Amino acid sequence: MESQYSKPSILKNIIGVLCVFIISSICLYLIAWSLTKEVGKSVTLKFPQNTDDVKSLIKELRAVRAGHWMSVLIMFSSAYLYKQTFAIPGSALLNILAGAVFGGC
């Protein structure tokens, strides 16, 4: 019985997904980089791994949000979509972060 998928088509799909992942990673990095340049001070942006990371990120993003609300929203939305698209664990922590940063707008 012959397989429905050929090896070249599987390889083409894998290369396509890898290209999308690399381009998305570069775009997310550039968005975060532009936010730190726009703010003009050192902001530590990383995906939170535990609740302590969430607490420190909340403080930083609230301070930045005051003067750069739209930039923070674009950066956060891009990071959230990135995590959801590539099924990266930790979206629950981003939900908590979103509520704390944007909840009282």
Side-chain angles (χ1 to χ4, degrees):
M1 189 175 249
E2 194 171 312
S3 174
Q4 180 181 356
Y5 301 104
S6 65
K7 287 185 181 182
S9 71
I10 292 172
L11 184 60
K12 188 171 112 177
N13 290 340
I14 290 172
I15 291 172
V17 169
L18 283 174
C19 288
V20 169
F21 180 76
I22 290 169
I23 291 169
S24 299
S25 298
I26 291 170
C27 289
L28 184 61
Y29 173 79
L30 291 174
I31 289 169
W33 178 77
S34 67
L35 177 67
T36 58
K37 292 298 176 190
E38 184 179 323
V39 170
K41 66 177 185 173
S42 177
V43 178
T44 305
L45 298 175
K46 65 176 187 170
F47 286 120
Q49 302 295 317
N50 53 42
T51 54
D52 292 333
D53 289 348
V54 171
K55 289 176 186 177
S56 64
L57 201 52
I58 287 170
K59 290 176 187 175
E60 288 193 44
L61 288 179
R62 280 184 177 169
V64 173
R65 183 193 71 179
H68 307 279
W69 189 86
M70 187 57 74
S71 296
V72 172
L73 180 63
I74 290 170
M75 189 270 313
F76 182 84
S77 299
S78 299
Y80 191 82
L81 287 173
Y82 180 83
K83 282 186 87 83
Q84 290 294 320
T85 301
F86 298 110
I88 300 171
S91 294
L93 292 175
L94 285 181
N95 289 335
I96 294 169
L97 182 65
V101 173
F102 301 111
C105 291

